[in-house]
Amino acid sequence: MELINQHTKEIMEGCKERARAAGLSFTDESLEYIVTNRDLIELSPKVMIPTLYDYWVHDVEVLRGKGEYELYPHNPYETVINTRPPISFYNDNNPDWLNVMIFYHVLGHIDFFQNNLYFRHTWEYDFTGQALSDKRVIAKLRAEKGRWVDYILEFARSIDNLVAYHDELSPLFKSPDTATSSRLDYYFDVFLQVEKKLPVAEYLKEVARYNEVVLQDKEEGERIFFAEVTTKYPEMEAHFAKSRSVKRIERRDLLRFLIENSEFLARDENSWMRSVLEVVRKTSIFFQPQIRTKIMNEGWASYWHEKLFLVDDRIKGHEVDFARVHAGVTSMPRVGMNPYALGMRLMYQLKEIGDKGKTGYDFHRLSDANQRKEFDAGTGQGDEFLFKVRSNYCDYLFIKEFVDQDFTNRYDLFVTGKRLDPQRMVWQYYVKSRDAREYRDMVLASLYHPPHIEIAPERGEDGALYLVHHFEGKQLVSEYIANTMVGIEYLWGAPVQLETSEAVIEQTRGTAGKEGGEEAEITWQRVVYTMKEKTLSRQVL
């Protein structure tokens, strides 16, 4: 692995000028390395971070990657990581025209990293430097503690999706000018929502009342507001005072909770384990936004590499090569989903929506498909709308809002089903639905969505840690429960209980007019798993 030569660097600096002229925004500094496919195979398990800590699972992934490459040789073209400065890697056999196309794609990624609000906590953060420090910590501990370090790493990585990413992000958006008192935060966040369980409509009325009072008297508004609150809720002040004397429990960040509250980890001989958990937690939080913006990020980069390269004079003579490579990256499969393809087509759709003014009421009130298709207010705000979406959305919001019937009709998208052909003994794929809602639900179901696990230590008996899984339509993967809970029990130093929901399938007789003699009916029941002394038990509630 080595830095690119000056010839290629000059080409890429020219790409930066054209990208900025088109509206992209990114820092001046960047690092580009030439790598072999072997280098990429060895870096891939470390998410392309060269300084990431060593772990035996990485070695297994490298061996798997080498075997896969021997069977199916391929060119990954490039990859880029969100560091300061950004680092990108290029295959050593790429011609100049391909590097130009790839670098436009990379610049799209860098612009997204440095402007999307879900990456806000990484904007001024040198993760490669932090990762190198963490790597040295892990190496030092491994020299002292041996294989126990890998056990703790494995236990921590089994729950590294249970980090309160949004809690880390939210304080970064609080302006000093709009800082609120702890009493006000308690009243709106805890007292009204948790203790009083106020309906949403009533809660919003209370927010509006506060805003109105503060607008009338900025300096004394909060005091006047709480004078009325204490009349309506005399107990509020006592509840607030009590809350300040109680240690706050982080109920959604299991790793942080274990670091701060485990008596087992607090022992002098085990305190080194906290350092390992901190490394795993920091790494997870750093990569959370990339996991949550995969479709947007790849779609944005693909949109810009096509838009910028097609008007670049360096494409001359390579149009067919570009079309072949580009189609391989952004073609829309009939079965499954390609985030590059879906994201790029949505970006073009948004460009058109903004240019034709399809964001307003006049368009959304139309129900006729032809009228919606022909609507054009000529606002010409496509680029402005695109950059606004790029800055403020994640994949969930992006798909939820913009995958509509117009979009699915335009690109002939559908949900596929499969059934077994008993005569030929093959699977048959068929068009199950062309409804945008079902297609949208299919895409949303594929997105990263860690389980909502709440920590409830007050419910555990004899020092047990009680975890509550808030059911959201998907049950936990049963084969992972035992191994994950073994790790949590070890880190907590006492039994662990997990309350969750599981499906109960009952066979019922088919009704007249429907195929088949029996139908499966699914009901859900709450169960509690208990891990005690490395033995798992299950109880139906």
Side-chain angles (χ1 to χ4, degrees):
M1 185 171 70
E2 59 184 18
L3 286 169
I4 59 172
N5 58 41
Q6 289 302 306
H7 167 71
T8 309
K9 184 67 174 178
E10 184 178 355
I11 291 174
M12 292 181 174
E13 290 301 313
C15 292
K16 288 183 181 179
E17 293 178 9
R18 299 183 188 214
R20 285 197 176 96
L24 297 184
S25 173
F26 43 82
T27 54
D28 291 331
E29 298 80 12
S30 63
L31 290 174
E32 295 82 31
Y33 287 91
I34 296 295
V35 293
T36 64
N37 282 343
R38 181 185 180 89
D39 293 328
L40 288 173
I41 289 172
E42 292 180 352
L43 283 171
S44 292
K46 294 191 173 187
V47 207
M48 303 308 297
I49 305 289
T51 55
L52 199 68
Y53 62 86
D54 297 315
Y55 181 49
W56 68 269
V57 170
H58 299 159
D59 300 331
V60 173
E61 288 296 312
V62 168
L63 293 174
R64 185 190 65 80
K66 288 180 178 178
E68 181 181 299
Y69 184 78
E70 288 178 4
L71 292 173
Y72 307 103
H74 58 281
N75 184 348
Y77 300 118
E78 58 76 29
T79 189
V80 58
I81 56 177
N82 176 31
T83 56
R84 292 297 178 272
I87 300 175
S88 50
F89 304 91
Y90 303 81
N91 274 79
D92 56 354
N93 55 359
N94 288 350
D96 285 347
W97 72 266
L98 183 56
N99 276 335
V100 171
M101 186 201 90
I102 289 172
F103 196 60
Y104 282 136
H105 189 92
V106 165
L107 290 175
H109 280 309
I110 295 174
D111 170 87
F112 194 90
F113 292 149
Q114 298 183 1
N115 293 280
N116 182 272
L117 295 179
Y118 285 83
F119 289 83
R120 178 65 184 86
H121 66 297
T122 71
W123 288 355
E124 294 145 4
Y125 183 37
D126 178 19
F127 184 69
T128 49
Q130 179 64 61
L132 179 59
S133 174
D134 294 340
K135 178 187 179 82
R136 289 169 176 168
V137 168
I138 296 296
K140 182 175 182 296
L141 289 173
R142 191 176 275 120
E144 297 173 357
K145 309 296 180 180
R147 60 189 175 88
W148 286 102
V149 175
D150 290 286
Y151 286 138
I152 303 305
L153 276 172
E154 192 156 351
F155 293 157
R157 283 167 61 122
S158 70
I159 54 174
D160 70 350
N161 59 336
L162 304 180
V163 291
Y165 160 67
H166 291 96
D167 289 350
E168 293 288 324
L169 204 60
S170 59
L172 301 175
F173 295 97
K174 287 185 177 179
S175 170
D177 298 332
T178 59
T180 56
S181 68
S182 57
R183 180 167 62 161
L184 192 68
D185 289 339
Y186 173 81
Y187 177 66
F188 281 108
D189 296 344
V190 180
F191 186 76
L192 292 182
Q193 296 187 62
V194 178
E195 297 183 14
K196 292 300 179 182
K197 294 181 170 56
L198 213 65
V200 174
E202 295 297 319
Y203 179 84
L204 293 177
K205 286 181 182 178
E206 193 69 356
V207 172
R209 186 174 75 82
Y210 169 77
N211 290 334
E212 183 180 351
V213 171
V214 173
L215 188 63
Q216 294 175 357
D217 190 335
K218 188 174 182 179
E219 294 184 359
E220 295 293 323
E222 185 173 321
R223 184 186 61 79
I224 297 170
F225 174 76
F226 274 109
E228 298 180 27
V229 167
T230 52
T231 301
K232 186 176 181 180
Y233 301 114
E235 71 277 20
M236 207 290 291
E237 291 295 339
H239 283 234
F240 173 59
K242 182 179 179 181
S243 71
R244 301 191 71 180
S245 63
V246 176
K247 182 181 179 182
R248 180 177 177 272
I249 297 174
E250 176 54 67
R251 295 187 175 273
R252 295 197 62 175
D253 194 323
L254 183 54
L255 275 175
R256 177 191 284 179
F257 179 83
L258 291 170
I259 291 169
E260 295 179 352
N261 298 280
S262 170
E263 294 182 4
F264 174 76
L265 297 180
R267 298 175 188 170
D268 291 340
E269 65 271 21
N270 298 330
S271 60
W272 63 270
M273 298 179 188
R274 287 177 169 174
S275 301
V276 178
L277 266 61
E278 284 284 7
V279 169
V280 173
R281 183 176 178 275
K282 284 186 294 185
T283 304
S284 174
I285 289 176
F286 180 82
F287 286 113
Q288 285 290 312
Q290 290 176 232
I291 302 171
R292 296 170 187 268
T293 59
K294 175 72 173 178
I295 296 174
M296 278 191 72
N297 202 338
E298 296 297 355
W300 180 256
S302 300
Y303 171 85
W304 283 106
H305 90 234
E306 180 180 77
K307 184 180 179 69
L308 293 172
F309 193 44
L310 285 177
V311 298
D312 194 309
D313 54 1
R314 288 168 289 191
I315 194 178
K316 291 181 179 179
H318 303 287
E319 291 85 351
V320 174
D321 294 327
F322 166 76
R324 178 180 57 80
V325 173
H326 182 64
V329 174
T330 62
S331 60
M332 185 73 82
R334 308 311 290 165
V335 178
M337 185 189 70
N338 178 354
Y340 295 79
L342 179 61
M344 187 186 75
R345 284 161 177 77
L346 277 167
M347 293 301 172
Y348 277 108
Q349 180 91 343
L350 297 185
K351 167 71 171 170
E352 180 181 301
I353 287 173
D355 282 339
K356 294 185 176 182
K358 292 184 177 182
T359 58
Y361 173 74
D362 290 340
F363 172 75
H364 287 293
R365 70 183 179 86
L366 297 176
S367 57
D368 184 87
N370 289 327
Q371 290 181 342
R372 292 175 68 88
K373 185 176 181 180
E374 299 299 327
F375 183 92
D376 188 354
T379 56
Q381 297 179 344
D383 287 338
E384 180 182 343
F385 187 58
L386 261 180
F387 282 102
K388 181 179 179 182
V389 171
R390 175 264 271 152
S391 297
N392 295 287
Y393 281 65
C394 64
D395 280 348
Y396 177 81
L397 298 175
F398 186 57
I399 299 301
K400 189 78 173 176
E401 184 166 348
F402 299 118
V403 174
D404 55 17
Q405 198 64 52
D406 293 335
F407 178 75
T408 54
N409 289 345
R410 178 174 184 175
Y411 293 105
D412 192 27
L413 302 177
F414 50 82
V415 178
T416 58
K418 72 175 183 177
R419 57 195 169 204
L420 181 66
D421 182 341
Q423 293 182 338
R424 300 171 60 191
M425 292 305 292
V426 295
W427 288 105
Q428 294 180 337
Y429 289 89
Y430 64 96
V431 177
K432 185 177 181 182
S433 173
R434 295 182 183 273
D435 190 309
R437 291 170 296 183
E438 294 195 31
Y439 184 83
R440 183 170 57 242
D441 289 344
M442 178 195 73
V443 177
L444 291 175
S446 70
L447 299 182
Y448 174 78
H449 185 75
H452 178 186
I453 305 291
E454 183 177 344
I455 303 162
E458 68 280 358
R459 296 179 60 180
E461 298 179 358
D462 300 326
L465 177 60
Y466 200 94
L467 306 175
V468 179
H469 173 218
H470 292 269
F471 184 62
E472 298 174 290
K474 289 184 178 180
Q475 70 179 44
L476 300 176
V477 182
S478 57
E479 53 263 39
Y480 294 159
I481 291 176
N483 288 340
T484 303
M485 290 185 67
V486 163
I488 300 173
E489 181 193 22
Y490 182 83
L491 297 173
W492 180 244
V496 177
Q497 294 178 287
L498 172 65
E499 180 183 326
T500 184
S501 295
E502 290 186 342
V504 177
I505 301 176
E506 299 178 356
Q507 298 296 328
T508 60
R509 290 288 180 183
T511 55
K514 293 187 178 181
E515 296 181 1
E518 293 186 347
E519 292 184 347
E521 181 179 340
I522 298 178
T523 58
W524 298 95
Q525 66 181 9
R526 295 295 281 180
V527 301
V528 173
Y529 285 96
T530 301
M531 179 63 70
K532 184 176 182 180
E533 297 178 354
K534 297 190 286 187
T535 301
L536 186 67
S537 60
R538 177 179 175 274
Q539 178 185 359
V540 178
L541 294 180

